[in-house]
Amino acid sequence: MSDATLGPSAYIVLGLIGGCGGGTSYDLKRWADTSVGYFWTFPRSQLYAEPQRLVELGLLESRQEDGGRRRRIYTVTPAGREALRSWLDTPAGQPELRDEGLLKLFFSTQATPGMVERLAAGQLDLHQQRLAIYEGIAASGHGTMPTGTDPLGMGLLYERASVAFWREVLAGQPGQVSS
Amino acid sequence: MSDATLGPSAYIVLGLIGGCGGGTSYDLKRWADTSVGYFWTFPRSQLYAEPQRLVELGLLESRQEDGGRRRRIYTVTPAGREALRSWLDTPAGQPELRDEGLLKLFFSTQATPGMVERLAAGQLDLHQQRLAIYEGIAASGHGTMPTGTDPLGMGLLYERASVAFWREVLAGQPGQVSS
DNA sequence: TACGGCATGTAATCGGTTACATGATTTA
DNA sequence: TAAATCATGTAACCGATTACATGCCGTA
């Protein structure tokens, strides 16, 4: 039971469905997009494949509508709830930045002149946008899910750090316009 | 040329070999472990498979030793250098946190009592260790690769933010020992 | 020359991504 | 009722991870 070899996305599905008391793959997509999707994305098709796997493992139950779209509505089984709890209690490993922008910065000595400046400007822009979104959510009180509210806090810290970092990189480049 | 559908690991290989003027898969592993590996990891076998793909694409050349271990030594071709440059000049996308610890925190309302405290303690520990490593590298002047030195700066900011964050989470939990 | 560990690779599997394809509702 | 969009899924491919398997080299 609770085969330890499930990936994080399996638990995301379990957690989302468990937290909302059941839903369809399409529901999952919408919930994810406005919550966990800010720091962990995956393609939509995953949200169709993963629940089926979980049904076969006995961690989810699916009920199919008769008429209309005949969509599948998933709910978590007791075994599923237990599997989630057990995963939650397993110590998490070291997270990785895995930032393509940093990667490019890392290899920038092999690049065309001016590349770092362009990169930094682009990254700065993206992080500022994301920061604005997070600040909006924080100001409006909360996200959509019943959750320990804190991950947003880390998001804010991370985006602020990123903005500061890329601004610094940009400032270190020759030839940037003073502003 | 320079098929735009190569993954980041392909460019890591190109960048590492390009930066060091050639080497074996084993060399790649060692270089990666002490540099880019701090924020972007992959299994060792990837460093054997990826170069072969790149040779077929004409981005790397391989020369095989005659005697001894008969290992393959890779060097970057002009086309490879060009492909790397072109990738470096492509704007990078939004990075994701993809932090399993945050994921668990996010779903912590469905967990066993005390889980958040255990999680936070574990994460705090990991981040403190990693921060100490980065500070050591920063103090000693530099890493092993000829590179734009800056990614380490982001690593420091990120680890400091993480330490602050998990400390905060821990402080918000009932029942922790005061220290 | 035997042994231990360093070094080097291959094979099989599997999750994740892209691309494709269709049906249901709504609204003009 | 036609068009547009929302919603729902499947199929095929490919990169990445795990597991397996073996060969060289220094040293005792």
Side-chain angles (χ1 to χ4, degrees), chain B residues 44-64:
Chain B
R44 194 184 45 83
S45 70
Q46 188 93 1
L47 295 177
Y48 287 88
E50 200 67 63
Q52 288 180 13
R53 240 173 283 165
L54 294 174
V55 166
E56 279 171 24
L57 292 172
L59 306 181
L60 287 182
E61 253 176 3
S62 83
R63 172 168 49 92
Q64 180 140 211

Side-chain angles (χ1 to χ4, degrees), chain B residues 118-143:
Chain B
R118 289 189 291 278
L119 172 66
Q123 291 296 101
L124 182 54
D125 196 46
L126 287 175
H127 283 289
Q128 279 172 331
Q129 283 175 31
R130 181 58 69 96
L131 179 56
I133 293 174
Y134 287 170
E135 281 171 341
I137 297 175
S140 82
H142 53 274

Side-chain angles (χ1 to χ4, degrees), chain B residues 1-73:
Chain B
M1 196 144 314
S2 84
D3 196 353
T5 56
L6 291 175
S9 23
Y11 295 105
I12 292 178
V13 168
L14 279 176
L16 284 174
I17 297 184
C20 293
T24 70
S25 290
Y26 190 72
D27 294 330
L28 280 174
K29 179 183 162 33
R30 284 183 312 160
W31 297 337
D33 278 351
T34 58
S35 60
V36 69
Y38 283 118
F39 62 94
W40 197 301
T41 67
F42 33 75
R44 194 184 45 83
S45 70
Q46 188 93 1
L47 295 177
Y48 287 88
E50 200 67 63
Q52 288 180 13
R53 240 173 283 165
L54 294 174
V55 166
E56 279 171 24
L57 292 172
L59 306 181
L60 287 182
E61 253 176 3
S62 83
R63 172 168 49 92
Q64 180 140 211
E65 279 182 343
D66 273 350
R69 311 206 158 181
R70 298 190 54 73
R71 57 197 157 181
R72 295 179 194 124
I73 296 158

Side-chain angles (χ1 to χ4, degrees), chain A residues 97-108 115-116 119-120 122-124 126-127 158 165-166 169, chain B residues 8 39-40 87-88 90-96 148 150-151 154:
Chain A
L97 243 16
R98 240 163 214 265
D99 180 336
E100 201 174 309
L102 281 187
L103 217 49
K104 292 186 177 185
L105 183 60
F106 185 78
F107 291 117
S108 60
M115 169 255 156
V116 171
L119 172 67
Q123 291 296 100
L124 183 55
L126 287 175
H127 283 290
Y158 171 67
F165 174 73
W166 289 109
V169 171
Chain B
F39 62 94
W40 197 301
W87 174 73
L88 287 170
T90 303
Q94 183 93 50
E96 278 176 31
D150 281 307
M154 185 63 219

Side-chain angles (χ1 to χ4, degrees), chain B residues 85-160:
Chain B
R85 247 184 267 121
S86 148
W87 174 73
L88 287 170
D89 251 323
T90 303
Q94 183 93 50
E96 278 176 31
L97 242 16
R98 241 164 214 265
D99 180 336
E100 202 174 307
L102 281 187
L103 218 49
K104 291 186 178 184
L105 183 61
F106 185 79
F107 291 119
S108 61
T109 51
Q110 302 177 56
T112 300
M115 169 254 156
V116 171
E117 193 186 346
R118 289 189 291 278
L119 172 66
Q123 291 296 101
L124 182 54
D125 196 46
L126 287 175
H127 283 289
Q128 279 172 331
Q129 283 175 31
R130 181 58 69 96
L131 179 56
I133 293 174
Y134 287 170
E135 281 171 341
I137 297 175
S140 82
H142 53 274
T144 55
M145 288 274 303
T147 167
T149 68
D150 281 307
L152 177 62
M154 185 63 219
L156 285 165
L157 287 174
Y158 171 67
E159 295 302 336
R160 289 202 190 106

